[in-house]
Amino acid sequence: MPPKTPRRAVSAATVEPLAPPPLPPEEQSERGSGSEDVSLARIEIEETEEPDFVALCQKLKVPDNVRERAWLTWQKVSSVDGVSEASIQKKKELWGIYIFIAAVDLDEMPFTFTELQKNIETSVYKFFFTLKEIDTSTKVDNAMSRLWKKYNVLYALYSKLERTCELIYLTQPGSPMSSEINSVLVLKLSWITFLLAKGEVLQMEDDLVISFQLMLCVLDYYIKLSPPALLKEPYKTAVIPINGSPRTPRRGQNRSARVAKQLENDTRIIEVLCVAHECNIEEVKNVYFKNFIPFLNSLGTVAPNGLPEVESLSKQYEEIYLKNKDIDARLFLDHDKTLQAHAVDSSEMQRTPRKSNPNEEATMIPPQTPVRTVMNTIQQLMMILNSANDQPSETLISYYNNCTVNPKENILKRVKEIGCIFKERFARAVGQGCAEIGSQRYKLGVRLYYRVMESMLKSEEERLSIQNFSKLLNDNIFHKSLLACALEVVMATYSRSTSQHLDSGTDLSFPWILNVLNLKAFDFYKVIESFIKAESNLTREMIKHLERCEHRIMESLAWRSDSPLLDLIKQSKDREGSADHLESTCNVSQAFQSIHTAADMYLSPVRSPKRRGSTARVNSTANAEAPAALPFQTQKPMKSTSLSLFYKKVYRLAYLRLNTLCVRLLSDHPELEHIIWTLFQHTLQNEYELMRDRHLDQIMMCSMYGICKVKNIDLKFKIIVTAYKDLPHAVQETFKRVLIREEEYDSIIVFYNSVFMQRLKTNILQYASTRPPALSPIPLIPRSPYKFSNSPLRIPGGNIYISPLKSYKISEGLPLSAKMTPRSRILVSIGESFGTSEKFQKINQMVCNSERVLKRSAEGSHPPKPLKKLRFDVEGTDEPDGSKQLAGESKFQQKLAEMTSTRTRMQKQKTNDSTDTSNKEEK
């Protein structure tokens, strides 16, 4: 008989493929080695296998155990999903995926990923998104995630290289050497050389910035080896002083040796490339001298034309590719279909709209590619920190001197010690040759650290009218948290994760910085809000990134066994009793209306004031000379500001996620949401030990399942998990690997049955009685505390949004064009082309006139007519507000009047909305 299929848990979504179970000892003794039965079972499996499946396994040299597991999985899935009748191509794709899953799970990978793709004729994109629909082990998830990230980086870099070479090399140069050295050959050499350099220098496969800097070094190398006749300007002019006029092929060898001697000293081409791609010149030079030059020394043989031999480079890469068993990136050169992106995806590029008049001179705006996006983000950070110093400013020194205990010496010592640790850990994660890159990034983090510290202290001085911040500035945890937050901003800026959910698979992604500084997540959480408020020039993407870090802490990191949070909760509960030791959910909005500073967070617990006026200065524990006792004999127990705010934010996050899940699953039973929330909130407040080493969403899903079960609602755990997987922050490990007891993990349904239900059974059953418990109040959900003043504003009456232009302080002395991304630099013309000064004067005149008319109308208590719709067509005489067209007005003036009217109404709408929001929050 064939081996039994693995037993599935109650939730199909949480089961991982298992190996066939071993025979019991008594059966082994009776059957001896059991080889005959195993052979018979294998023969039966082979007899059921389709010939095309067998042929695929033979081509890929798949071992028997991998083939058997893949076929058993296919049989099980096809019998349920009915895909057995699919086309042979669809079957081949699924067979390939199940073979890949089995090979990863069993650690037997006899083929490369590209070989698998070639044999099942599918692209990386299609393979990845088909695999996402299949429940796999964490091991498979991690393996595929690594491949996907590597593919995305390689795709972005090759696309960038191809476009850059088009700007550097002539396709048909008028040179006798064009037959031996041409743009196609140089592109091929540049790409393979880059792949070798990347594999040699970087341990991280998904680092986009250092990879791109290495690519610029490769381009520099081949530009210097190319004859000037092959180059476009400005590279032609820059390269002539190095290699002079083109040489004949027979002298190519000597020419290459001569150029090689000059490579290490001449950075003219590098500087031109950096300017063209808006890269930091010092960073690229560091990669050039510390990493690329040593790599060149081991590059290999040189052909008679002075260039490295393609065959030699390709052979070296072949060895790396076969060793890694992943993607053959050389196929990008052939535009192989297995590496082509999806039509929608290939595009992460925002194309510039063409001008209406093709004869007008156009300013070319480069497409918004992944590489350019991250370079723009880095440039924005650099502009913020250009005026900053990596030493304390005079203002900070003044604050230090005003302290009872001067913290300057400890601060400088701490920064120096952490710098050594950061440099070593960065090199360990990225590559030993990248230690200096780590030092450069650490310096940026230190600059931001001092800048934000100064801003925080100025704000506190204005708020409290004091200058002695001795307690705060001598607090070691505060300084480590502030420095960690500054470094996280820098690290995220140089990564591609700022616009995505946090990626635990990236070596340098959050919470990597916490491990480097040996900092607890709960302590780091305390500084995030103050940091964002203190640094007004943080980009919207970076604020969102820090908010995602905060969510990650609240959902799991802060609940680890070694976290100070659990001890703080226990102490608070012991002091104040279980009834009121944590914040009531109905007061959650107050946390976002109050001002919580770094001093409040790091120097709490502070005394809960009996009257608001009695402790006007005591709550500010920043002052080292604050009174030791209150003027009252009877005092309430000490209360932790950081714990109070933490729970308010946890409740807010928990309810928002629960609400999203209930909308998707329980739209027919809206009354259950309130009951589920009551159980959820009760667990977080009174059974907080269930959160130890677990995830907030695990408690949420168990609460939903428990209430639905007791209310006789047919909602299976599999359905809950399936809906949960669609949430933007969800990861499969959350429901596949849940702590059951010490060092024992299982699926979420096992956790529910053996832990959650056992602890809360009595409480859950109460909701089935005729007298259920009182319901917890639904948290008030104000907007995020991290408000974005420049958020897009919706135009009434249509699905159109306008993004206000971000204003920068003139005192920073930064050019506005440098502040803008390529997308924000685009000007859109409606109806006519701009170009003459008269038209801009008309704009100013019409805006002024319209504002005066609207102002008079408002003063006369005549509200503007409601906006019907926006018309962007050229024909037609109807105005959006129903007014008639005036004689003598051009189409341009009509359109401009519409836009002016709309803008004024939007401003009024925004003012009304802000007033409404303020009134709601005050309630």
Side-chain angles (χ1 to χ4, degrees), residues 160 163-164 167 275-278 348-353 362-373 375-376 379 817 820-826:
K160 185 72 173 179
R163 291 191 302 272
T164 304
L167 300 175
V275 170
H277 296 91
E278 300 177 343
E348 297 185 40
M349 300 192 299
Q350 307 290 336
R351 296 294 180 183
T352 306
T363 301
M364 295 301 295
I365 299 175
Q368 188 78 339
T369 63
V371 175
R372 182 162 293 279
T373 299
M375 290 303 161
N376 285 337
Q379 188 185 33
S817 61
M820 305 167 87
T821 63
R823 186 188 306 177
S824 65
R825 277 184 256 177
I826 296 172

Coordinates of all heavy atoms in Angstrom, one line a residue, residues 160 163-164 167 275-278 348-353 362-373 375-376 379 817 820-826:
K160 N 17.7 49.5 -15.4 CA 18.5 50.7 -15.2 C 19.8 50.7 -16.1 O 20.1 51.7 -16.7 CB 18.8 50.9 -13.8 CG 19.5 52.2 -13.4 CD 18.5 53.4 -13.6 CE 19.1 54.7 -13.1 NZ 18.2 55.8 -13.2
R163 N 19.0 51.1 -19.9 CA 18.7 52.5 -20.2 C 19.9 53.4 -20.1 O 20.1 54.3 -20.9 CB 17.6 53.1 -19.3 CG 16.2 52.5 -19.5 CD 15.1 53.2 -18.8 NE 15.4 53.3 -17.4 CZ 15.0 52.4 -16.5 NH1 14.3 51.3 -16.9 NH2 15.2 52.5 -15.2
T164 N 20.8 53.2 -19.1 CA 21.9 54.0 -18.9 C 22.9 53.8 -20.1 O 23.5 54.8 -20.6 CB 22.6 53.7 -17.6 OG1 21.7 53.8 -16.5 CG2 23.8 54.6 -17.3
L167 N 22.3 55.8 -23.0 CA 22.6 57.2 -22.9 C 24.1 57.4 -23.0 O 24.6 58.6 -23.2 CB 22.1 57.8 -21.5 CG 20.6 57.7 -21.3 CD1 20.3 58.2 -19.9 CD2 19.9 58.6 -22.3
V275 N 26.6 62.5 -10.8 CA 25.8 63.7 -11.0 C 24.6 63.3 -11.9 O 23.4 63.8 -11.6 CB 26.6 64.8 -11.7 CG1 25.7 65.9 -12.2 CG2 27.7 65.3 -10.8
A276 N 24.8 62.5 -12.9 CA 23.7 62.1 -13.8 C 22.6 61.3 -13.1 O 21.5 61.4 -13.4 CB 24.3 61.3 -15.0
H277 N 23.0 60.5 -12.1 CA 22.1 59.7 -11.4 C 21.8 60.1 -10.0 O 21.2 59.4 -9.2 CB 22.6 58.2 -11.3 CG 22.7 57.6 -12.7 ND1 23.9 57.7 -13.5 CD2 21.8 57.0 -13.5 CE1 23.7 57.1 -14.6 NE2 22.4 56.6 -14.6
E278 N 22.2 61.4 -9.6 CA 21.9 62.0 -8.3 C 22.3 61.1 -7.2 O 21.6 60.9 -6.2 CB 20.4 62.3 -8.2 CG 19.9 63.3 -9.3 CD 18.4 63.5 -9.2 OE1 17.7 62.7 -8.6 OE2 17.9 64.5 -9.8
E348 N 6.5 49.9 -12.6 CA 6.5 50.7 -11.4 C 7.0 52.0 -11.9 O 7.5 52.8 -11.2 CB 7.5 50.1 -10.5 CG 7.1 48.8 -10.0 CD 8.0 48.3 -8.9 OE1 8.4 49.0 -8.1 OE2 8.2 47.1 -8.9
M349 N 7.0 52.3 -13.2 CA 7.6 53.6 -13.7 C 6.5 54.5 -14.1 O 5.6 54.2 -14.8 CB 8.5 53.3 -14.9 CG 9.6 52.3 -14.6 SD 10.8 52.2 -15.9 CE 9.9 51.6 -17.3
Q350 N 6.6 55.8 -13.6 CA 5.6 56.8 -13.9 C 6.1 57.6 -15.1 O 7.1 58.3 -15.1 CB 5.5 57.7 -12.7 CG 5.2 57.0 -11.4 CD 3.8 56.4 -11.4 OE1 3.0 56.9 -12.1 NE2 3.6 55.4 -10.6
R351 N 5.5 57.4 -16.3 CA 5.9 58.0 -17.5 C 5.5 59.5 -17.5 O 4.4 59.8 -17.0 CB 5.4 57.3 -18.7 CG 5.9 55.9 -18.8 CD 7.4 55.9 -19.1 NE 7.9 54.5 -19.2 CZ 9.2 54.3 -19.4 NH1 10.1 55.2 -19.5 NH2 9.6 53.0 -19.5
T352 N 6.3 60.3 -18.1 CA 6.0 61.7 -18.2 C 5.0 62.0 -19.3 O 5.2 61.5 -20.4 CB 7.3 62.5 -18.5 OG1 8.3 62.2 -17.5 CG2 7.1 64.0 -18.4
P353 N 4.0 62.7 -19.0 CA 3.0 63.0 -20.1 C 3.7 63.9 -21.2 O 4.5 64.8 -20.9 CB 1.9 63.8 -19.4 CG 2.5 64.2 -18.1 CD 3.5 63.3 -17.8
A362 N 10.9 70.6 -24.5 CA 10.4 69.9 -23.3 C 11.6 69.6 -22.3 O 12.7 69.3 -22.8 CB 9.8 68.6 -23.7
T363 N 11.3 69.7 -21.1 CA 12.3 69.3 -20.1 C 12.0 67.8 -19.7 O 11.0 67.5 -19.2 CB 12.1 70.2 -18.8 OG1 12.3 71.5 -19.1 CG2 13.1 69.7 -17.7
M364 N 13.0 67.0 -20.1 CA 12.8 65.6 -19.9 C 12.9 65.2 -18.4 O 13.8 65.5 -17.7 CB 13.9 64.8 -20.7 CG 13.9 65.0 -22.2 SD 12.3 64.5 -22.8 CE 12.3 62.7 -22.5
I365 N 11.8 64.6 -18.0 CA 11.8 64.1 -16.6 C 11.9 62.6 -16.6 O 11.2 61.9 -17.2 CB 10.4 64.5 -16.0 CG1 10.3 66.0 -16.0 CG2 10.3 64.0 -14.5 CD1 8.9 66.5 -15.5
P366 N 12.9 62.1 -15.9 CA 13.2 60.7 -16.0 C 12.1 59.9 -15.3 O 11.4 60.4 -14.5 CB 14.5 60.5 -15.2 CG 14.6 61.7 -14.3 CD 13.9 62.8 -15.1
P367 N 11.8 58.6 -15.8 CA 10.8 57.8 -15.2 C 11.1 57.5 -13.8 O 12.2 57.4 -13.3 CB 10.8 56.6 -16.1 CG 12.2 56.5 -16.6 CD 12.6 57.9 -16.8
Q368 N 10.0 57.3 -13.0 CA 10.1 57.0 -11.6 C 10.3 55.5 -11.4 O 9.4 54.8 -11.1 CB 8.8 57.5 -10.8 CG 8.9 57.5 -9.3 CD 9.7 58.6 -8.8 OE1 10.5 59.2 -9.4 NE2 9.5 58.9 -7.5
T369 N 11.5 55.1 -11.6 CA 11.8 53.7 -11.4 C 12.2 53.4 -10.0 O 12.4 54.3 -9.2 CB 13.1 53.3 -12.3 OG1 14.2 54.1 -11.8 CG2 12.8 53.7 -13.8
P370 N 12.3 52.1 -9.6 CA 12.6 51.7 -8.2 C 14.0 52.3 -7.8 O 14.2 52.8 -6.7 CB 12.7 50.2 -8.2 CG 11.7 49.8 -9.3 CD 11.9 50.9 -10.4
V371 N 15.0 52.3 -8.7 CA 16.3 52.9 -8.4 C 16.2 54.4 -8.2 O 16.7 54.9 -7.2 CB 17.3 52.6 -9.5 CG1 18.6 53.3 -9.3 CG2 17.5 51.1 -9.7
R372 N 15.5 55.1 -9.1 CA 15.3 56.5 -8.9 C 14.5 56.9 -7.7 O 14.8 57.9 -7.0 CB 14.7 57.1 -10.2 CG 14.6 58.7 -10.1 CD 14.3 59.3 -11.5 NE 15.5 59.1 -12.3 CZ 16.6 59.9 -12.3 NH1 16.6 60.9 -11.4 NH2 17.6 59.7 -13.1
T373 N 13.5 56.1 -7.4 CA 12.7 56.4 -6.2 C 13.6 56.4 -4.9 O 13.5 57.3 -4.1 CB 11.6 55.3 -6.0 OG1 10.8 55.4 -7.2 CG2 10.8 55.6 -4.8
M375 N 16.9 56.7 -4.8 CA 17.8 57.8 -4.9 C 17.2 59.1 -4.5 O 17.9 59.9 -3.8 CB 18.4 57.8 -6.3 CG 19.3 56.7 -6.6 SD 20.7 56.5 -5.5 CE 21.2 54.8 -5.8
N376 N 16.0 59.4 -4.9 CA 15.3 60.6 -4.5 C 15.1 60.6 -3.0 O 15.3 61.7 -2.3 CB 14.0 60.7 -5.2 CG 14.1 61.1 -6.6 OD1 15.1 61.7 -7.1 ND2 13.1 60.7 -7.4
Q379 N 18.4 61.5 -1.4 CA 18.7 62.9 -1.6 C 17.9 63.8 -0.6 O 18.5 64.7 -0.1 CB 18.4 63.2 -3.0 CG 18.9 64.6 -3.4 CD 18.4 65.0 -4.8 OE1 17.4 64.7 -5.3 NE2 19.3 65.8 -5.5
S817 N 13.4 72.7 -6.6 CA 13.4 71.6 -7.6 C 14.0 70.4 -7.0 O 13.7 69.2 -7.3 CB 14.2 72.1 -8.8 OG 15.5 72.4 -8.5
M820 N 11.6 68.2 -5.0 CA 10.5 67.6 -5.6 C 10.9 66.3 -6.3 O 12.0 66.1 -6.8 CB 9.9 68.5 -6.7 CG 9.5 69.9 -6.1 SD 9.2 71.1 -7.4 CE 7.5 70.8 -7.7
T821 N 10.0 65.3 -6.3 CA 10.2 64.1 -7.0 C 9.9 64.3 -8.5 O 9.2 65.3 -8.8 CB 9.4 62.9 -6.5 OG1 8.0 63.3 -6.7 CG2 9.6 62.8 -5.0
P822 N 10.3 63.4 -9.3 CA 10.0 63.6 -10.8 C 8.5 63.8 -11.0 O 8.0 64.5 -11.8 CB 10.5 62.3 -11.4 CG 11.7 62.0 -10.6 CD 11.3 62.3 -9.2
R823 N 7.7 63.0 -10.2 CA 6.2 63.1 -10.4 C 5.7 64.5 -10.0 O 4.9 65.1 -10.7 CB 5.5 62.0 -9.5 CG 4.0 62.0 -9.8 CD 3.4 61.0 -8.8 NE 4.0 59.7 -8.8 CZ 3.6 58.8 -8.0 NH1 2.7 59.0 -7.1 NH2 4.2 57.6 -8.0
S824 N 6.2 65.1 -8.9 CA 5.7 66.3 -8.5 C 6.2 67.5 -9.3 O 5.7 68.6 -9.2 CB 6.1 66.6 -7.0 OG 7.5 66.7 -6.9
R825 N 7.2 67.3 -10.2 CA 7.7 68.3 -11.0 C 6.8 68.5 -12.3 O 7.0 69.4 -13.1 CB 9.1 68.1 -11.4 CG 10.1 68.5 -10.3 CD 11.5 68.3 -10.8 NE 12.1 67.2 -10.2 CZ 13.3 66.7 -10.4 NH1 14.0 67.3 -11.3 NH2 13.8 65.6 -9.8
I826 N 5.9 67.6 -12.5 CA 5.1 67.6 -13.8 C 4.1 68.7 -13.7 O 3.4 68.8 -12.7 CB 4.5 66.2 -14.0 CG1 5.6 65.2 -14.2 CG2 3.5 66.3 -15.2 CD1 5.0 63.8 -14.2

